[in-house]
Amino acid sequence: MNLIILFPDDFLDPQRVRLTGRRLAHVRDTHRAVLGDSLNVGLLAGLMGTGLITRLDEEALEMDVALDQPPPPKLPLTLVLALPRPKVLNRVLASAASLGVAHIHLINAWKVEKSYWKSPRMAEENLHHQRLLGLEQAKDTVLPELHIHRLFRPFVEDVLPTIVEGTQALVGHPGAPEPCPRHIHQPITLAVGPEGGWIEAELASLIRAGFCPVDLGPRILRTETAVAALVGRLF
Ligand code: SAM
C-alpha cells in the first residue's frame, strides 16, 4: 500500500481523517508507522498528498491531511478483456488499475467458462476492491471505469464501434503475423483473449470491428502477464 486511499466518510473535518480496519492494520503492521510519521494519502477520485499521524493505536489511525497533488494521468488505453478465471480476474483488475488503464470492458467469449460469471468475485464490492488495490499500489486515486458485457455479439456489434473510434485497435493473438507495435503515441483499444484463446469467429468479428491481431513472440503468456507485457510494449 504505497498510497492510503481516503473516502469521504473518513473525514472528521476537512483536514482530519480517522481510519480503522484494513488500512489501520496495514499502517501498524506493514508500515510499522509511529506517531508523527507522514504517509502518502489520496482521496478516491481526488487529490493526493500527505497525512501526518496524530493518533495510532489498536482502535484507530488519525491523520492531519494536506491534499494538493493531482493523481497521475491515465494511459489512453481501453482494455477489452475476455473474462478470466476468478482468481486471475482479481490479479488482472489490480494490475490493470496499477498500470493506469483508463477503461476496462469485461466481455464474454466462447472459451470463457459460464461459471466464471457466477463467481462471488464478480460481486460489485470485489470488483471495486481489486481496482482499489491497484491504485494503492501505483499511487493513483482514480479507478479505471469497469463495464461488463455478458454477450459477445451485441458487445461487438453495438458497443465496440464507439469504443474503437479514434483509437488504434489491437488484439493480442499468439502467432499473429503482425508483431505488437512499440510505443504508440495515440489512444489504444486493446483486446486480450480468454485462457483458451479467441476462436476464429471471434477473431474475425474483432477484425471486422477494426482490430489488428498482434503477436508478442513465441511464448504464450498468462492473461495477467500478457496484459502487462502488451501495455509495457505499447506505451
Ligand atoms: N492458448 C491460447 C491461445 O493460443 O490464444 C492462450 C491464451 S492466453 C492464456 C490469453 C490471451 O493473452 C490471448 O488470447 C492473447 O490475447 C494474450 N496473449 C498471450 N500470449 C500472447 C502472445 N505471445 N502474443 C499475443 N497475445 C498473447
Side-chain angles (χ1 to χ4, degrees), residues 9-143:
D9 282 356
D10 296 326
F11 284 80
L12 301 169
D13 65 44
Q15 267 81 48
R16 216 153 56 92
V17 294
R18 178 181 299 154
L19 312 185
T20 57
R22 185 178 71 91
R23 292 168 295 169
L24 164 65
H26 188 87
V27 169
R28 285 181 53 138
D29 304 339
T30 307
H31 284 291
R32 295 178 184 250
V34 294
L35 220 58
D37 280 357
S38 212
L39 302 174
N40 295 316
V41 298
L43 176 62
L44 185 66
L47 294 173
M48 312 194 303
T50 52
L52 179 71
I53 300 179
T54 56
R55 173 186 170 186
L56 182 56
D57 55 37
E58 279 175 11
E59 276 173 21
L61 160 66
E62 288 185 12
M63 292 182 280
D64 288 342
V65 297
L67 302 175
D68 51 10
Q69 302 290 318
K74 288 279 184 249
L75 297 175
L77 172 63
T78 296
L79 178 63
V80 174
L81 182 69
L83 184 66
R85 67 176 59 230
K87 255 190 196 168
V88 176
L89 172 67
N90 275 2
R91 294 202 292 265
V92 182
L93 287 178
S95 155
S98 69
L99 287 164
V101 174
H103 304 274
I104 303 170
H105 293 263
L106 287 178
I107 68 165
N108 198 20
W110 182 254
K111 291 187 180 169
V112 169
E113 272 188 34
K114 284 192 176 55
S115 63
Y116 295 174
W117 290 105
K118 296 187 187 131
S119 161
R121 290 194 165 99
M122 286 301 288
E124 182 53 43
E125 197 183 344
N126 181 60
L127 299 174
H128 185 268
H129 182 65
Q130 298 308 323
R131 286 176 291 153
L132 203 65
L133 293 178
L135 298 185
E136 290 175 346
Q137 170 62 38
K139 292 171 82 179
D140 188 357
T141 62
V142 183
L143 290 168

Side-chain angles (χ1 to χ4, degrees), residues 172-174 192-198 214-217 219-221 223 226:
H173 189 54
V192 172
E195 207 161 34
W198 303 106
V214 293
D215 175 54
L216 272 177
R219 293 168 198 275
I220 310 251
L221 305 172
T223 305

